[in-house]
């Protein structure tokens, strides 16, 4: 019998996230196939997986920080640290209605387990209270709760956990069995499920997550739930074969439903969010607003997407805005036949650090994946981007050395779906720009990949950023607030003035020669920095051209590429 935690602590949170992610990965296709409410989108399992993947990544980052000596007890974060990271990761990575509700469930648990007087670990009573608060807060986040959905399953789990006696393992088992029973009864509560002969897809995903909780606390794998209800299921197979992968579960309206799905993260005060809920509820349906402490995830279906975004602007600062339009030909109406769109021959998927480069890549015909500072995309998000590209052949540009393994995992998954994928190990966005500049879809795939790889490999890259803390570097010790110039990933210059540091980096890069300098200027850069660098190139380096792009809100103040 493997060693398992007797109480719910940071290690149990880490184990739970890992086991739940694995379990959702195995169950994803099955959950996608039974997604018939409110329409057969066929993506609930995928979006639950993406949400949990973001949560697990955040927890791993907290452990990595403590192992590096960033916490008071190296190698062991507190329970509060772990559950806060789990909740925050789920919030910023939430996808679709079901994923957004899962994020709020995790946040509800964190509010109990990470309070000011929270212990280093929770006992059975504490875990039961956390599950109760999770279910209640998730129900409050949904504008118009419907019984027979994941909300019903979460409430049943909390009821069973509250009635259980014993340690965390016993409470988790009770919660799982309560959820499993409620899931089997969802067809009796919702006619569309009964007619299709399936259980609720979101509830099925939650039961999977709770089964992983049991395993993390006891070492035992509970019996799995049934995916189907008591009767035949004429529409379940249609959901699997007719519904093509789309951006979010519950996103496509039925006949007469809203035409747009609008999703964004929002920085706003509680009072402003209360007003936002009222306005969005009047605009459309499927409204779910989750979060707190100044950061929210907003999801709604509307006919006027602009009005939904404007409401967010009035409430605070919306970002990571995604608007999806579903025309009549795209809606998965009950019994509708759908002819999949013809795949294009070749596409490029590129990870970029700011909105400016995202627009540049989109104009060049690539599918852009935006990587916010501190929020690298997970492999599932890259898989979704490749699917959106809808091509037989895909060139994947991670544009970050730390994303190479993530991109490789995504490429492997998509290859299993029959897509030919070439991963070019670009380590910076400027290398990706160079590769995209020589991309020619008319060439043979191998020739195109070789040309793009050569262009990326011939591009040296640098970045200018500001140090957040004291640290040892290849160029010496830097202090918080120092300006750092990194060349090919290593700190080469430490300075006090951003423009002067950028000039020193540029001179160092051009000392070995070059033909083209690419500058990607972030929002935090002085207005004159691009002009100063361009002037230096004109005055000191003959026959060298310069191209300037505005990157927007990117992690580094300045990116420099030299080809």
């Amino acid at each position: 019998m493997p060693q398992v935690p007797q109480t719910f602590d940071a290690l149990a949170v880490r184990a739970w996230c890992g086991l739940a992610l694995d379990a959702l990965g195995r169950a994803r296709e099955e959950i996608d196939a039974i997604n018939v409410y409110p329409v057969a989108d066929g993506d609930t399992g995928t979006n639950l997986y993406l949400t949990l993947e973001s949560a697990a990544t955040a927890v791993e980052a907290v452990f990595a920080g403590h192992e590096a000596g960033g916490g008071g007890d190296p190698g062991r974060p507190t329970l509060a640290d772990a559950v806060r990271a789990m909740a925050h990761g789920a919030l910023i990575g939430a996808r679709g209605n079901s994923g957004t509700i899962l994020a709020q469930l995790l946040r509800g648990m964190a509010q109990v387990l990470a309070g000011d007087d929270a212990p280093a670990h929770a006992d059975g009573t504490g875990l039961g209270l956390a599950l109760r608060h999770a279910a209640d807060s998730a129900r409050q986040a949904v504008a118009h709760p419907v019984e027979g959905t994941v909300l019903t399953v979460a409430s049943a789990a909390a009821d069973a956990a509250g009635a259980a006696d014993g340690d965390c393992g016993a409470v988790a088992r009770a919660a799982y069995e309560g959820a499993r029973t409620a899931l089997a009864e969802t067809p009796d509560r919702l006619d569309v499920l009964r007619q299709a002969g399936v259980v609720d897809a979101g509830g099925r995903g939650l039961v999977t997550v709770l089964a992983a909780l049991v395993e993390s606390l006891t070492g035992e794998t509970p019996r799995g739930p049934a995916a189907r209800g008591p009767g035949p299921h004429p529409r379940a197979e249609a959901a699997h074969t007719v519904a093509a992968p789309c951006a979010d579960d519950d996103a496509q309206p039925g006949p007469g439903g809203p035409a747009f799905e609008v999703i964004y993260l929002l920085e706003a005060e509680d009072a402003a969010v209360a007003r936002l809920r009222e306005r969005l509820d009047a605009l459309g349906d499927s409204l779910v607003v989750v979060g707190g402490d100044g950061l929210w995830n907003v999801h709604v279906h509307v006919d006027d997407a602009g009005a939904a975004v404007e409401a967010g602007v009035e409430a605070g600062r919306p970002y990571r805005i995604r608007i999806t339009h579903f025309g009549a030909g795209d809606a998965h109406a009950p019994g509708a036949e759908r002819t999949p769109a013809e795949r294009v021959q070749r596409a490029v998927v590129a990870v970029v650090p700011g909105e400016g480069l995202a627009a540049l890549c989109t104009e060049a015909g690539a599918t852009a994946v935006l990587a916010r500072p501190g929020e690298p995309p997970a492999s599932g998000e890259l898989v979704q981007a490749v699917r959106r590209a809808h091509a037989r052949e895909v060139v994947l540009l991670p544009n970050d050395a730390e994303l190479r393994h993530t991109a490789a995992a995504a490429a492997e998954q998509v290859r299993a779906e029959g897509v030919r994928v070439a991963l070019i190990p670009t380590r910076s966005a400027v290398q990706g720009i160079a590769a995209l500049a020589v991309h020619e879809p008319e060439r043979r795939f191998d020739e195109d990949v070789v040309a793009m790889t050569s262009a990326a490999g011939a591009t040296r890259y640098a970045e200018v950023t500001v140090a957040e803390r004291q640290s040892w570097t290849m160029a010496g010790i830097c202090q918080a607030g120092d300006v750092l110039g990194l060349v090919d990933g290593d700190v080469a210059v430490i300075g006090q003035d951003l423009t002067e540091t950028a000039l020193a980096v540029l001179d160092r890069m051009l000392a070995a020669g070059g033909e083209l300098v690419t500058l990607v200027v972030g929002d935090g850069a002085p207005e004159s920095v691009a002009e100063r660098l361009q002037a230096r190139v004109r005055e000191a380096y003959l026959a060298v051209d310069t191209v300037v792009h505005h990157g927007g809100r990117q992690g580094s103040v300045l990116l420099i590429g030299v080809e």
Side-chain angles (χ1 to χ4, degrees):
M1 174 72 69
Q3 290 290 104
V4 294
Q6 298 303 306
T7 55
F8 194 64
D9 59 8
L11 285 176
V13 173
R14 186 186 201 181
W16 180 27
C17 286
L19 290 168
L21 187 61
D22 289 344
L24 284 174
R26 293 190 300 270
R28 178 183 61 81
E29 291 186 1
E30 175 191 333
I31 297 172
D32 285 346
I34 64 170
N35 175 206
V36 298
Y37 178 79
V39 288
D41 296 10
D43 231 13
T44 292
T46 297
N47 288 313
L48 287 170
Y49 177 87
L50 292 174
T51 303
L52 209 288
E53 184 179 42
S54 182
T57 299
V59 172
E60 288 301 321
V62 166
F63 272 85
H66 278 260
E67 289 166 0
D73 182 10
R76 182 65 64 85
T78 64
L79 172 62
D81 293 333
V83 294
R84 283 196 198 103
M86 176 179 66
H88 180 73
L91 177 66
I92 64 175
R95 304 292 292 270
N97 273 359
S98 297
T100 306
I101 292 170
L102 176 61
Q104 187 66 5
L105 287 167
L106 298 180
R107 175 177 169 78
M109 292 186 68
Q111 287 176 320
V112 172
L113 300 174
D116 293 336
D117 300 323
H121 52 76
D123 58 12
T125 300
L127 180 59
L129 291 173
L131 292 170
R132 176 76 273 162
H133 187 66
D136 293 343
S137 61
R139 186 171 289 269
Q140 293 167 6
V142 178
H144 302 285
V146 175
E147 295 304 325
T149 65
V150 62
L151 298 176
T152 303
V153 176
S155 294
D159 291 343
D165 293 322
D167 60 12
C168 287
V171 170
R173 283 193 197 93
Y176 170 76
E177 291 299 335
R180 186 173 182 270
T181 299
L183 177 66
E185 296 171 353
T186 54
D188 298 330
R189 292 173 172 259
L190 202 55
D191 285 344
V192 66
L193 300 178
R194 178 180 54 78
Q195 293 168 8
V198 297
V199 296
D200 178 67
R204 171 68 173 85
L206 178 58
V207 171
T208 301
V209 172
L210 290 173
L213 178 62
V214 174
E215 185 175 358
S216 67
L217 291 167
T218 68
E220 301 171 1
T221 304
R223 55 180 177 166
R228 299 175 182 173
H233 54 101
R235 290 174 59 194
E237 185 66 19
H240 184 65
T241 58
V242 173
C246 48
D248 294 283
D249 64 290
D250 306 338
Q252 299 195 19
F260 295 94
E261 178 192 54
V262 179
I263 304 173
Y264 49 80
L265 289 179
L266 177 70
E267 294 177 356
E269 299 298 326
D270 290 7
V273 171
R275 294 191 296 271
L276 175 67
R277 289 179 192 269
E278 294 179 2
R279 182 168 178 184
L280 292 180
D281 192 28
L283 286 174
D285 58 29
S286 296
L287 174 61
V288 185
V289 181
V290 305
D293 300 323
L295 180 62
W296 308 82
N297 190 307
V298 179
H299 174 286
V300 66
H301 297 170
V302 293
D303 282 321
D304 190 345
V309 175
E310 287 174 5
V313 173
E314 292 179 5
R317 187 178 78 88
Y319 61 100
R320 290 180 68 173
I321 301 168
R322 288 185 293 139
I323 300 173
T324 305
H325 174 256
F326 300 100
D330 292 325
H332 298 300
E337 294 293 332
R338 173 171 175 163
T339 302
E342 181 67 22
R343 287 182 181 272
V344 299
Q345 183 59 33
R346 189 174 309 160
V348 177
V349 174
V351 180
V352 292
E355 297 92 339
L357 289 185
L360 177 68
C361 289
T362 301
E363 290 174 5
T367 298
V369 179
L370 192 59
R372 293 285 183 185
E375 301 175 15
S379 62
E381 190 170 352
L382 296 183
V383 169
Q384 290 294 90
V386 173
R387 289 172 177 162
R388 287 200 306 273
H390 202 55
R392 299 183 183 90
E393 302 167 340
V394 173
V395 179
L396 183 56
L397 305 174
N399 294 336
D400 188 333
E402 295 184 0
L403 284 178
R404 183 171 181 178
H405 296 298
T406 301
E412 191 66 27
Q413 181 174 341
V414 177
R415 287 188 188 111
E417 299 174 6
V419 180
R420 189 178 184 189
V421 181
L423 171 61
I424 298 178
T426 48
R427 294 172 289 175
S428 170
V430 291
Q431 289 189 324
I433 293 172
L436 193 56
V438 301
H439 167 55
E440 292 186 12
E442 294 78 16
R443 278 193 296 225
R444 291 178 54 242
F445 185 65
D446 291 339
E447 292 176 355
D448 198 28
V449 170
V450 168
M452 296 177 71
T453 302
S454 297
T459 302
R460 297 189 68 197
Y461 63 97
E463 62 179 301
V464 179
T465 188
V466 178
E468 296 180 354
R469 64 181 67 87
Q470 184 186 63
S471 179
W472 291 88
T473 75
M474 296 288 289
I477 301 176
C478 72
Q479 305 295 329
D482 284 349
V483 181
L484 306 181
L486 291 82
V487 177
D488 293 338
D490 294 323
V491 176
V493 180
I494 300 175
Q496 300 301 313
D497 181 80
L498 193 144
T499 301
E500 293 302 321
T501 302
L503 288 168
V505 169
L506 180 64
D507 287 337
R508 182 173 295 222
M509 296 181 73
L510 286 173
E515 297 177 355
L516 176 66
V517 172
T518 300
L519 305 175
V520 182
V521 184
D523 283 349
E527 293 183 4
S528 62
V529 67
E531 294 179 3
R532 290 282 305 276
L533 292 172
Q534 285 179 295
R536 174 63 63 87
V537 172
R538 286 195 303 268
E539 296 166 1
Y541 304 97
L542 299 177
V544 177
D545 294 324
T546 307
V547 177
V548 179
H549 302 291
H550 295 282
R553 292 171 292 181
Q554 58 187 32
S556 299
V557 179
L558 177 69
L559 299 176
I560 303 174
V562 174
E563 299 178 48

